Amino acid sequence: TGLSEEQAKVLSHATASDKSSAESLEAVDEVTRGRKLESVVEGWRKRNADKEPEEIERRVRRLKRCYGLVRSLKKRYGYKCQIGSCLFTFRMSNGGWYCEAAHIKPLSGRKRGLELPENILILCANHHKMLDYGAMKVMTLTEVEIKGARHRIMR
């Protein structure tokens, strides 16, 4: 294969799991391309130093949301995260609280009955992404689990 025993060991360890971590991808890149992370970052810095942002035009299809329901739920919960122990909710420069609507069962399933109050949580941006990426699980209508600990959902 042309790899040293150490390189083969690094690749074997990095690809042992079905899930790729940032560290394993970095290790694979270093072994297969001979590139250290800092030199890659430096290369991007040099390429982009005098580059203006490019504009592109896109045509996208999105699932229609029920914004009236979302506005009502945000108002119901005071524009704050429904996770009772939330430390991430913040005020914007206009004085209002920042929050997002998250679907417990995703709209991408294209099933009926997903745009209902019981399927939507008003969350801070961090808890929304934690829900989307599986770092937070909805256990009941009134509880979520984060890192093995239960947290109350304000209803």
Side-chain angles (χ1 to χ4, degrees):
T1 62
L3 298 177
S4 70
E5 189 175 321
E6 182 60 31
Q7 289 173 319
K9 204 182 294 182
V10 168
L11 283 182
S12 176
H13 178 71
T15 58
S17 168
D18 287 343
K19 294 183 178 181
S20 297
S21 67
E23 293 80 16
S24 65
L25 292 174
E26 183 181 326
V28 169
D29 193 51
E30 187 174 322
V31 169
T32 60
R33 296 186 181 137
R35 303 185 318 173
K36 297 252 183 224
L37 178 61
E38 287 308 311
S39 66
V40 172
V41 171
E42 181 61 20
W44 281 110
R45 188 188 71 71
K46 287 177 183 175
R47 270 190 294 272
N48 292 336
D50 294 319
K51 189 176 178 183
E52 289 183 19
E54 291 181 53
E55 185 176 303
I56 61 170
E57 188 174 323
R58 276 191 194 167
R59 182 177 172 193
V60 296
R61 293 178 67 118
R62 298 179 65 180
L63 294 171
K64 188 175 179 185
R65 305 279 306 270
C66 184
Y67 291 106
L69 173 60
V70 168
R71 280 191 301 276
S72 298
L73 290 172
K74 285 182 175 186
K75 188 173 184 177
R76 175 193 274 178
Y77 298 112
Y79 303 91
K80 294 183 183 175
C81 185
Q82 282 183 256
I83 307 303
S85 59
C86 181
L87 301 174
F88 301 124
T89 300
F90 66 93
R91 282 192 185 270
M92 299 178 288
S93 61
N94 68 6
W97 292 97
Y98 181 79
C99 59
E100 300 176 356
H103 288 82
I104 298 168
K105 293 179 184 171
L107 286 182
S108 60
R110 291 181 163 80
K111 294 187 174 141
R112 294 175 191 259
L114 296 176
E115 288 283 59
L116 299 174
E118 54 271 17
N119 190 47
I120 298 172
L121 292 174
I122 302 305
L123 301 174
C124 66
N126 286 351
H127 282 130
H128 188 171
K129 289 303 166 202
M130 289 172 82
L131 178 65
D132 286 351
Y133 290 103
M136 177 174 80
K137 294 183 178 115
V138 176
M139 305 308 284
T140 68
L141 287 175
T142 59
E143 274 190 329
V144 294
E145 184 177 278
I146 304 169
K147 295 182 181 178
R150 298 272 179 130
H151 300 267
R152 187 165 177 253
I153 298 173
M154 309 306 281
R155 292 278 182 187

